[in-house]
Amino acid sequence: MCAFHLGWFLGPGITVQGWNTPNFAKSYDWTKPDIFRDGARRLEQAFFDFLILEDTSAIPYTYGGNMDFYLRHAAMTPKFDPVIVTPYILEATKKLGVATTMTSTFYPPWILARSMATLDHYSNGRMAWNIVTATSDAAAQNFGYDKQFEHDKRYDMADEFVDLVKQLWGAWEPDAVVNNDETFIDPSKVRTVNFEGEYYKSRGPLNVPRSPQGCPLLIAPGGSPRGRKFSGRNAEVVLGSAENIEEMKQYCIDVRSYAVSFGRDPTKVKLMFAVAPVITKSRQEADEYKQNYPKMLEKRMQHALASMSFLSGIDFSKFDLDAPVGEIKTNGMQTILGKFKDPAVTLRQIVTSPPRWPIVGTPEDVAAELIEAMAEVGGDGYLITGHLKPSYLSQIVDELVPALQKRGATRTEYSHDMLRDNVMAF
Ligand SMILES: Cc1cc2nc3c(=O)[nH]c(=O)nc-3n(C[C@H](O)[C@H](O)[C@H](O)COP(=O)(O)O)c2cc1C
């Protein structure tokens, strides 16, 4: 049995992967899906369980009060629709799962349920839904609202949304399609749903039969206390971002205890943590890389501020870089507040301080470090977070993964055809 699962989180978005970062090939046509198809095939060769296509539905305008920075630097924009990118990736692969991000806050449940069921059919059961509640006012304004719904209410809505789409997916019995000489579908095996909740109402059923997995694999990344509760109630894979081992452990404890409080088996809730390992040729190069962190981060400071602004809805261009930020409140991503816990630390120190767990080293060293950390945390896997640009992909797939496999830590084959079966296999 392997020690843990691997997924890839396409954090930088689904278009201009890594624009203006080292080794970015400016010549490739980012308006075409080839980089994702090629990347997905490589992930499948390395037996990743799934690839997550992230999403947000707005061009941000928080940093500096306009869209300029984001547009000029291809930061969080442009993005193609992950629901449309998904079948290109599924078509290029046979076993890799694909997790498509769709927000419960703005999607009509019936449409989401139908798209997912269709994709699950066409992929023979390899679909997952990455459930996000959306953070920004900019996104809300694209859907006709003046501002975002209140943070915890978004999760209340999402709980109800999940209940409804599960009922829609379950409204066809597995053997409803009989396809004999008299009958195509047995009417006694397809029922209406007649869902009436506080936020959603739908008659149902879908006009798509039950898909191979019945319900696509449910993935959720909420980091705040309310987000963790949502994950404990609904998610089968939880995406954690934690800065060190202690935080990872706490994340596992929180989500698993919420799962138990909802009567769920906590071993069926898989906790996977986002990491972005840097692979070097030697230990000396790793040391040099680590020493260079403050300089690198200083160079990317505006990017970090723009990203924090988008996620929190607070314009960090207005703050004095050399003073502490003070107490802030956000209706956006709550997890971001953790950065400002220490009132003595300046904004510049926050955005230029190296990661608390820098994962930098030779493939062998990084593999050993990841294995040791996961054993201590008791989690279920890692999400490699980054660009699918060929140079980085090659370091992970050709160097790190073989080192993990050699130690028996990760898959050397897919044990099943469908995504949930693979994810729940250990
Ligand atoms: C690995 C990972 C992937 C995520 N993917 C997305 C995404 O695609 N779209 C999105 O809006 N938020 C994404 N998030 C952010 C979460 O949805 C975030 O936790 C959410 O905005 C609410 O945050 P909160 O519960 O901490 O307030 C991701 C977070 C993590 C850790």
Side-chain angles (χ1 to χ4, degrees), residues 9 54-55 101 132 135 151 155 221-224 239 241 333-335:
F9 175 59
E54 71 89 51
D55 196 32
T101 301
V132 298
T135 48
H151 178 271
Y155 281 109
S224 61
L239 313 181
S241 75
M333 188 178 187
Q334 302 286 301
T335 337

Side-chain angles (χ1 to χ4, degrees), residues 170-178 185-191 205 210:
W172 287 60
E173 293 297 319
D175 55 353
V177 180
V178 286
I185 296 153
D186 179 347
S188 71
K189 298 200 166 166
V190 183
R191 55 182 172 270
R210 186 184 290 237

Side-chain angles (χ1 to χ4, degrees), residues 58-75:
I59 298 179
Y61 61 78
T62 329
Y63 186 61
N66 57 54
M67 299 187 290
D68 294 5
F69 183 87
Y70 302 97
L71 290 170
R72 201 181 304 284
H73 298 277

Side-chain angles (χ1 to χ4, degrees), residues 3 50 57 92 109 225 242 244 279 290 303 312 370 374 380 385 417-418:
F50 53 79
S57 26
N244 57 28
I279 305 299
K290 284 185 203 169
H303 281 81
S312 65
L370 292 176
M374 195 51 69
D380 302 286
T385 300
D417 293 328
M418 289 202 264

Side-chain angles (χ1 to χ4, degrees), residues 238-313:
V238 181
L239 313 181
S241 75
E243 291 200 17
N244 57 28
I245 311 281
E246 285 316 308
E247 283 184 18
M248 288 162 79
K249 277 188 188 165
Q250 191 56 47
Y251 202 103
C252 292
I253 292 169
D254 287 355
V255 174
R256 286 184 182 137
S257 50
Y258 277 125
V260 170
S261 76
F262 286 106
R264 297 180 66 205
D265 173 357
T267 64
K268 299 283 180 235
V269 183
K270 303 291 177 187
L271 282 125
M272 297 180 67
F273 289 92
V275 290
V278 177
I279 305 299
T280 61
K281 298 224 173 322
S282 64
R283 286 186 175 168
Q284 191 192 336
E285 194 188 324
D287 290 340
E288 285 163 10
Y289 191 98
K290 284 185 203 169
Q291 277 161 17
N292 206 21
Y293 255 127
K295 261 197 208 144
M296 280 186 298
L297 293 168
E298 183 90 30
K299 254 193 188 163
R300 301 281 297 175
M301 190 156 68
Q302 265 197 306
H303 281 81
L305 291 169
S307 165
M308 277 169 27
S309 298
F310 172 60
L311 293 170
S312 65

Side-chain angles (χ1 to χ4, degrees), residues 340-394:
F340 303 103
K341 266 186 203 150
D342 185 345
V345 178
T346 67
L347 181 56
R348 185 188 301 278
Q349 286 168 325
I350 289 170
V351 286
T352 58
S353 61
R356 274 151 66 201
W357 181 26
I359 310 172
V360 185
T362 63
E364 298 297 323
D365 285 351
V366 169
E369 204 175 334
L370 292 176
I371 292 168
E372 197 184 320
M374 195 51 69
E376 198 181 332
V377 167
D380 302 286
Y382 290 106
L383 299 161
I384 308 292
T385 300
H387 311 294
L388 272 180
K389 67 184 170 190
S391 54
Y392 186 55
L393 195 56
S394 168

